[in-house]
Amino acid sequence: MKIVNPCYFGFLAITLLAAISCHSPAANTNKKVFIYNESDGIATLDPAGAKNRSIQWAIHQLYNTLVETDSSLNMVPALARSWDISPDRKTWTFHLRSNIYFHDDPAFPDGKGRRLAAADIVYSFNRILDPLTASSGAWIFHNRISTSNPFSAPNDSTFILNLLQPFNPILGLLSMQYCSAVPREAVEKYGKDFRNHPVGTGPFRLKSWEENQTLILTKNENYYEHDSTGRALPYLDAVKITFNDEKATEFLQFVQGELDFINNVDPSFKDEVLNKKGELKPDWQGKIHLSVVPQLNTEYLGILVDPGNPLVQQSPLKLKAVRQAINFGFDRRKMMLYLRNSLGLPAESGFVPAGLPSFDSTKVHGYHYDPDRARQLLAAAGYPGGNGLPPIRLLTISIYGDFATFIARQLEDVGIHINIEIVQKSLLLEETAQSKALFFRGSWIADYPDAENYLSDFYSKNPAPPNYTRYSDPVFDKLYERSLQETTDSIRYRLYREMDQRVIDAAPVVPLWYDAVVHLINPRVQGFAPNALNLLELRHVQIAAR
């Protein structure tokens, strides 16, 4: 663990304020370049490996998908200008635009990017499924597409998708970066180097990539989109990404004008910038812009509930009353106030987060802080006052250690003793995937904007992932399967809420908070629109020259 002088952050705050007050930008240039830092690094620029946020952000600039989500989480056309659905909802026919071209690249004759065709979509989707590709996104089509003829292209402008059974959130799946259109010529020419030689149809194209140093994307002059006035998108000339893994340095560069925005506010300096209400402190107002919108992410503690697992059989967590007591035994609101500066909402409803259209806290009732109720439940479970209840081991990672400590201290007051074990993220993922973790920290960030993505975590026929708790309920399963067939949104949302309530009542999870997308933005940036999926959208961004 890195030891930091406690005076450092106070000194840093003074330095930052001085820097932002007197900084003079470097010599101006006519080029409009958006610069951000990616502290998590970028492992690949191949859509087949778009498994995390940092990769997805870069992929989104370089590639397009058939459909995409707008800022209101509606599914809208992208590569496809329209689509038709068969009466049985198993066949989806997409009609492609005729003015979309791949980036110019030596993979094509004379180096000129050719026009996108439906066969490229067929190739791209089959590539995801090819074991030789080893795509982390192969799961998106698992048990969802026809086994005989899932993808076809009867002509250059028509792509047909055949499903095994109706699946209403299919458009959400197709909007994921895994489903980006790639050209066969480039994949075959570059082989394994396709990861660092991307060829897409997106608003930007690769200029250079010095791994762990800088990644530069330049405007795709042949991009197909225009704004409502007919002006070509994107407005930016380039995007520059740096890779500094020190958050304090990243923030210093931001306030000095060297970066145009920061994703999230790191705990190391959040108290210097934000008050407990999640607002900018007076010294920062007018100097930087704070943007906070709901994010489709539920932070939670998971509990293994498989009655056939010997670990569960020997644990008090096998009892619903104990799991419910944990849910009642700590104050989510106070936790959010003191540890999150009110960024996000306490999860006092279901597992499905705020921000989705089916969310309704008046109809899905979760847990609030009620220590007396927690003590009653412990007594009903045979542990009055916590007597006889053995300590419960909680696995978490270091950045969530303070939350685990807060929860453990409050649970101790009602008679529940928690032993916190900090482990590496890779070990936590391994333990939960193999059903070896009884009590663990987790988060579920939406892959696509539909509550089904959250409720699939509890469908008994799903493995771990996503069903890390191994929850199984025949009634839930029937509701889930029925929801996949339902075409009326209001009825489907009612089914979603009914499923969510069943999960909350059974308590295989302890929802903590519904997250927020938090951005610090340079005032010179205009048109930067955040979204609940926290996807970096730069097509409409305008920026003053430096």
Side-chain angles (χ1 to χ4, degrees):
M1 178 179 292
K2 184 183 292 184
I3 305 299
V4 180
N5 186 323
C7 297
Y8 172 68
F9 291 117
F11 170 76
L12 175 64
I14 297 172
T15 303
L16 293 174
L17 287 170
I20 198 168
S21 299
C22 65
H23 173 69
S24 297
N28 284 345
T29 172
N30 291 327
K31 294 294 184 181
K32 297 177 180 179
V33 183
F34 184 91
I35 305 175
Y36 74 95
N37 184 65
E38 189 49 82
S39 58
D40 292 336
I42 295 176
T44 181
L45 295 176
D46 182 347
K51 64 180 179 179
N52 61 37
R53 180 201 53 76
S54 64
I55 299 173
Q56 291 163 3
W57 278 13
I59 295 295
H60 187 57
Q61 316 312 319
L62 294 162
Y63 294 89
N64 294 107
T65 48
L66 283 172
V67 296
E68 61 186 16
T69 54
D70 65 12
S71 59
S72 300
L73 300 181
N74 298 309
M75 303 309 306
V76 296
L79 296 178
R81 56 180 171 79
S82 63
W83 53 89
D84 304 314
I85 311 169
S86 64
D88 65 1
R89 302 189 70 80
K90 292 183 181 181
T91 300
W92 294 66
T93 302
F94 296 87
H95 306 286
L96 306 189
R97 301 178 192 273
S98 60
N99 61 338
I100 298 176
Y101 291 81
F102 286 108
H103 300 156
D104 291 347
D105 191 87
F108 303 115
D110 301 322
K112 300 296 292 182
R114 64 164 173 81
R115 193 173 74 174
L116 173 83
D120 295 309
I121 308 298
V122 174
Y123 172 76
S124 300
F125 288 6
N126 280 324
R127 181 172 178 262
I128 296 172
L129 295 172
D130 187 344
L132 293 178
T133 305
S135 172
S136 51
W139 65 269
I140 65 177
F141 292 129
H142 180 63
N143 287 335
R144 286 172 179 152
I145 56 174
S146 169
T147 55
S148 57
N149 185 32
F151 317 125
S152 62
N155 56 57
D156 284 352
S157 62
T158 306
F159 169 74
I160 298 175
L161 170 66
N162 289 307
L163 299 177
L164 196 61
Q165 58 187 3
F167 184 70
N168 282 297
I170 187 63
L171 291 178
L173 284 177
L174 298 181
S175 72
M176 295 174 65
Q177 277 60 56
Y178 289 123
C179 295
S180 300
V182 302
R184 179 191 297 269
E185 299 96 321
V187 174
E188 293 180 349
K189 175 179 176 62
Y190 298 112
K192 292 182 179 179
D193 285 338
F194 185 65
R195 64 170 291 278
N196 57 11
H197 203 126
V199 181
T201 61
F204 299 92
R205 53 178 301 184
L206 179 67
K207 174 68 174 179
S208 64
W209 185 15
E210 186 177 354
E211 294 197 41
N212 301 317
Q213 297 296 321
T214 57
L215 173 63
I216 297 176
L217 311 177
T218 55
K219 179 177 181 176
N220 174 12
E221 299 290 350
N222 298 318
Y223 189 59
Y224 75 95
E225 280 193 283
H226 294 74
D227 66 16
S228 59
T229 68
R231 183 181 174 188
L233 298 177
Y235 302 132
L236 296 169
D237 294 304
V239 177
K240 179 180 178 181
I241 307 169
T242 59
F243 297 97
N244 194 312
D245 60 2
E246 292 290 338
K247 286 292 186 179
T249 302
E250 177 186 71
F251 189 54
L252 179 59
Q253 291 175 331
F254 168 69
V255 298
Q256 288 179 330
E258 297 172 20
L259 300 175
D260 291 309
F261 101 118
I262 288 180
N263 178 55
N264 217 337
V265 180
D266 192 75
S268 62
F269 55 78
K270 67 176 175 63
D271 289 328
E272 299 290 349
V273 179
L274 304 176
N275 61 28
K276 292 303 181 183
K277 295 181 180 180
E279 303 164 336
L280 285 176
K281 288 186 173 179
D283 286 342
W284 296 99
Q285 291 176 11
K287 298 181 176 73
I288 60 178
H289 176 62
L290 172 67
S291 171
V292 181
V293 299
Q295 181 180 9
L296 300 186
N297 175 30
T298 299
E299 297 287 337
Y300 69 98
L301 303 179
I303 302 172
L304 190 63
V305 292
D306 178 7
N309 188 311
L311 292 174
V312 176
Q313 294 170 356
Q314 300 168 15
S315 170
L317 292 175
K318 67 183 178 182
L319 301 174
K320 181 172 72 172
V322 173
R323 302 194 299 269
Q324 290 178 329
I326 292 173
N327 268 287
F328 279 119
F330 68 99
D331 192 335
R332 291 167 175 81
R333 297 185 183 188
K334 186 176 291 186
M335 180 180 70
M336 294 300 292
L337 179 67
Y338 291 110
L339 299 184
R340 288 278 299 174
N341 293 69
S342 304
L343 297 176
L345 297 172
E348 296 181 335
S349 183
F351 189 71
V352 174
L356 285 171
S358 62
F359 179 87
D360 189 337
S361 60
T362 67
K363 295 181 180 177
V364 179
H365 303 287
Y367 299 91
H368 55 278
Y369 183 46
D370 190 341
D372 291 337
R373 179 67 176 139
R375 295 185 184 96
Q376 292 170 4
L377 286 163
L378 282 184
Y383 304 108
N387 294 324
L389 182 69
I392 299 171
R393 174 173 170 252
L394 171 62
L395 291 182
T396 186
I397 56 178
S398 59
I399 60 172
Y400 290 91
D402 51 351
F403 295 96
T405 299
F406 176 91
I407 294 168
R409 286 175 177 169
Q410 290 208 313
L411 289 178
E412 190 169 355
D413 290 341
V414 301
I416 301 173
H417 299 279
I418 303 294
N419 289 338
I420 301 168
E421 185 172 339
I422 305 294
V423 299
Q424 293 293 323
K425 185 176 181 179
S426 58
L427 177 60
L428 180 61
L429 291 173
E430 179 182 342
E431 294 273 290
T432 52
Q434 297 178 4
S435 297
K436 295 180 179 178
L438 273 168
F439 194 30
F440 55 90
R441 173 263 163 192
S443 65
W444 194 264
I445 302 174
D447 297 301
Y448 45 90
D450 194 289
E452 182 276 336
N453 191 221
Y454 286 84
L455 297 168
S456 66
D457 293 8
F458 306 101
Y459 183 52
S460 69
K461 296 179 183 179
N462 282 340
N467 190 354
Y468 289 111
T469 66
R470 305 309 300 146
Y471 176 80
S472 178
D473 173 9
V475 175
F476 177 97
D477 287 352
K478 289 180 180 178
L479 291 168
Y480 177 82
E481 290 164 359
R482 181 181 165 193
S483 72
L484 298 181
Q485 305 282 338
E486 183 54 59
T487 60
T488 303
D489 285 347
S490 60
I491 297 177
R492 190 168 72 255
Y493 295 163
R494 178 175 56 79
L495 294 172
Y496 286 165
R497 290 190 287 266
E498 189 174 347
M499 284 184 274
D500 204 3
Q501 189 67 66
R502 290 190 69 84
V503 169
I504 291 302
D505 291 345
V509 288
V510 182
L512 301 179
W513 73 87
Y514 310 125
D515 215 350
V517 174
V518 182
H519 292 153
L520 297 179
I521 306 169
N522 190 310
R524 74 191 195 97
V525 175
Q526 302 296 321
F528 187 93
N531 54 79
L533 290 172
N534 196 18
L535 190 60
L536 183 63
E537 183 52 69
L538 297 178
R539 283 172 290 185
H540 291 85
V541 166
Q542 300 192 66
I543 193 166
R546 291 178 185 274

